[in-house]
Amino acid sequence: MHADHNMEVKLSNRNVWKCLGADRAPCRCHIKTGFFLLLTLVFLVTAITYVSEFSFNAVFPDTLSKKVLNQIRSYYVATEYLSARENQTTFLATNSVKQSPTQTTNLSVNHHVAHPSNYHFILDEPDKCSQWDPFLVLMVPVAPHQLEARNAIRSTWGNESSVQGKAVLTLFLVGLTGGAEAQQKLEEESRQHRDLLQSNFVDSYFNLTIKTMVIMDWLATRCPQAAYAMKVDSDMYINLENLMTLLLSPNTPRQNYITGYLMRNRSVIRNKKSKWYVAEELYPEPKYPTYLLGMGYVFSNDLPEKIVEASKEVKAFNIEDAYVGACLKQLGIVPSSPPDPSQFKAYMGKYKRENFIRVITTILGSPQQLKDIWKDVKKPS
Ligand SMILES: *[C@@H]1O[C@H](CO)[C@@H](O)[C@H](O)[C@H]1NC(C)=O
Ligand SMILES: *[C@@H]1O[C@H](CO)[C@@H](O)[C@H](O)[C@H]1NC(C)=O
Ligand SMILES: *[C@@H]1O[C@H](CO)[C@@H](O)[C@H](O)[C@H]1NC(C)=O
Ligand SMILES: *[C@@H]1O[C@H](CO)[C@@H](O)[C@H](O)[C@H]1NC(C)=O
Ligand SMILES: *[C@@H]1O[C@H](CO)[C@@H](O)[C@H](O)[C@H]1NC(C)=O
């Protein structure tokens, strides 16, 4: 802000000198100078108002932005599916087309749409885990165009390579982009950061179940050496110290363990107009098994292979996190409640530093908010 101010003053001074140097009538010069000074003043006031509003909203938001509020509202109103951010009609249409009657009689032949064997990697980091030997892998599903979200993560929790002496790795998974130019940019980004995975399904909200299963497949086939993994959305805050403390606790199982924000006794939505509608043909039971909210769940790394295997027997439906829940049920694995359930928070409310110091993960409103809050939490107290 001070820099801006000085720059403005210098600029207007330069105009004054230019004006005085020019052989024009002195009165015209004065008018012009006055005009410039007035403009500068107006600009400064606007800039100061803007900057102060911006930083207050960003670092100390009253409500962690409208976006989060909207999410929470949808979440409670429409039976609690937080990560639903788009329209799913197309997925259902595609799904029912692919599930022709003859195929549905043999699920293992059908391997339905979500099974990762239907897809292959276009961008891959097959040696990353053998080089890095991570204890924990953070897998972030993200849309190809969300470069800002990836960069915010890269400069915050994605840049923590070692926590309490344990190696941590962050990778992003995207699907296919819309065009050649976007693909080229993505490949450049991949060369620069070496943290992008890309699979050959069309990247859309409708295909999030596929995305999650491809994440599981990558962990099972490229990273079996890791002890734990987390599927975490790109708009999340993570406190890695607290997450690591949880994972290193002697009470935390090393196998068949999955935890996060528990979704219990949730009804399947049968209202065709709803975003979260699931057809009875895809999921016949009225309730979902207990599952973990898709925003961020943590699991022992023996699970990805088991979930991929189980998914051959569980027909795909378009609610990504509930689908993982259905696979867990098929495996007979019960999700665990975290030791402190308040550490997996959907909504934090008004920004308070002490809350972000206590939590493991929570939803944020924007990439800028992640950077601002990160800086504020990391500053020495
Ligand atoms: C969802 O998609 C359907 C069909 O493409 C469209 O009619 C409907 O308006 C969409 N709903 C929203 C909320 O975008
Ligand atoms: C289903 O597919 C599996 C794997 O391809 C095959 O071994 C099995 O014979 C098939 N079952 C039927 C009933 O077609
Ligand atoms: C990651 O952290 C290192 C130092 O710990 C720093 O030099 C680097 O600039 C950071 N990377 C990003 C993308 O912020
Ligand atoms: C993914 O979603 C899009 C529409 O959003 C659809 O056209 C496509 O067929 C879906 N499936 C795959 C495997 O790409
Ligand atoms: C589950 O939800 C139904 C309503 O959908 C309610 O009647 C029932 O008591 C709930 N069960 C438990 C165990 O909370």
Side-chain angles (χ1 to χ4, degrees):
M1 217 158 75
H2 285 290
D4 281 357
H5 184 103
N6 287 337
M7 204 166 72
E8 267 317 301
V9 171
K10 269 185 210 140
L11 275 176
S12 60
N13 282 346
R14 206 174 298 146
N15 283 326
V16 172
W17 293 127
K18 218 164 99 189
C19 179
L20 288 176
D23 43 17
R24 288 185 183 129
C27 63
R28 259 187 73 196
C29 180
H30 276 134
I31 290 166
K32 216 171 175 183
T33 307
F35 180 65
F36 271 119
L37 285 176
L38 188 69
L39 261 187
T40 308
L41 192 71
V42 169
F43 175 82
L44 270 179
V45 169
T46 317
I48 288 166
T49 314
Y50 176 77
V51 166
S52 53
E53 255 179 18
F54 172 77
S55 48
F56 275 115
N57 283 342
V59 188
F60 307 107
D62 253 359
T63 56
L64 276 182
S65 99
K66 275 186 193 154
K67 186 188 155 200
V68 176
L69 262 187
N70 282 337
Q71 282 176 345
I72 303 307
R73 208 169 292 131
S74 333
Y75 173 78
Y76 287 112
V77 171
T79 307
E80 310 107 295
Y81 187 63
L82 249 177
S83 23
R85 282 153 199 166
E86 273 178 60
N87 194 338
Q88 300 167 28
T89 324
T90 318
F91 176 93
L92 292 168
T94 321
N95 213 15
S96 40
V97 168
K98 290 208 171 158
Q99 308 251 337
S100 71
T102 47
Q103 278 182 321
T104 45
T105 54
N106 194 338
L107 280 177
S108 44
V109 161
N110 183 21
H111 267 342
H112 55 71
V113 291
H115 197 274
S117 65
N118 294 331
Y119 309 101
H120 67 262
F121 289 101
I122 297 167
L123 296 174
D124 199 357
E125 295 294 334
D127 305 320
K128 196 83 178 183
C129 277
S130 49
Q131 289 161 2
W132 203 273
D133 199 17
F135 174 80
L136 168 67
V137 188
L138 306 170
M139 296 292 278
V140 189
V142 61
H145 70 269
Q146 291 177 310
L147 174 64
E148 208 194 337
R150 289 192 290 277
N151 281 341
I153 291 170
R154 283 176 182 130
S155 67
T156 57
W157 49 264
N159 197 26
E160 304 256 297
S161 51
S162 171
V163 181
Q164 298 183 27
K166 299 285 185 184
V168 180
L169 179 61
T170 299
L171 292 167
F172 300 96
L173 179 73
V174 300
L176 293 175
T177 63
E181 200 189 327
Q183 183 61 28
Q184 217 168 18
K185 276 190 187 154
L186 213 57
E187 280 167 18
E188 209 166 290
E189 185 185 340
S190 162
R191 277 191 295 274
Q192 192 186 342
H193 296 286
R194 290 275 158 229
D195 59 2
L196 282 184
L197 311 172
Q198 185 183 34
S199 178
N200 70 331
F201 59 87
V202 176
D203 198 296
S204 68
Y205 178 76
F206 328 117
N207 296 342
L208 273 188
T209 299
I210 301 175
K211 214 174 212 177
T212 297
M213 297 314 290
V214 168
I215 282 176
M216 296 299 172
D217 179 49
W218 193 90
L219 288 167
T221 56
R222 268 66 159 183
C223 206
Q225 56 270 73
Y228 293 95
M230 179 176 190
K231 184 244 136 179
V232 58
D233 286 343
S234 63
D235 56 355
M236 300 299 293
Y237 170 84
I238 304 181
N239 185 317
L240 280 171
E241 284 294 330
N242 295 345
L243 175 55
M244 198 55 83
T245 301
L246 166 71
L247 296 180
L248 293 178
S249 155
N251 299 325
T252 301
R254 309 295 298 254
Q255 286 199 322
N256 295 334
Y257 178 71
I258 182 162
T259 194
Y261 185 108
L262 280 185
M263 302 288 277
R264 290 195 176 95
N265 195 27
R266 305 292 166 156
S267 297
V268 179
I269 294 181
R270 302 298 188 196
N271 174 3
K272 284 191 175 149
K273 286 183 185 151
S274 166
K275 265 180 163 186
W276 302 283
Y277 167 73
V278 173
E280 242 160 288
E281 300 93 88
L282 294 183
Y283 192 85
E285 280 146 74
K287 297 264 179 174
Y288 290 122
T290 298
Y291 67 95
L292 300 145
L293 190 60
M295 63 177 193
Y297 47 85
V298 186
F299 44 94
S300 55
N301 202 34
D302 59 314
L303 283 188
E305 189 184 358
K306 294 174 185 172
I307 290 170
V308 167
E309 190 55 31
S311 82
K312 288 180 187 171
E313 313 297 328
V314 183
K315 198 186 274 187
F317 57 93
N318 48 301
I319 309 292
E320 164 276 316
D321 43 10
Y323 182 73
V324 171
C327 293
L328 291 171
K329 188 188 170 197
Q330 170 80 18
L331 291 165
I333 293 168
V334 181
S336 301
S337 182
D340 176 1
S342 74
Q343 286 189 308
F344 287 82
K345 256 192 148 42
Y347 177 54
M348 282 286 241
K350 196 178 161 75
Y351 176 76
K352 284 204 193 81
R353 186 166 179 260
E354 59 266 32
N355 290 344
F356 282 81
I357 289 171
R358 265 195 40 242
V359 82
I360 286 176
T361 194
T362 190
I363 301 173
L364 297 177
S366 69
Q368 187 59 47
Q369 212 170 51
L370 171 57
K371 290 190 279 184
D372 292 341
I373 288 176
W374 189 262
K375 209 158 98 190
D376 195 57
V377 169
K378 288 280 163 175
K379 77 176 183 218
S381 31

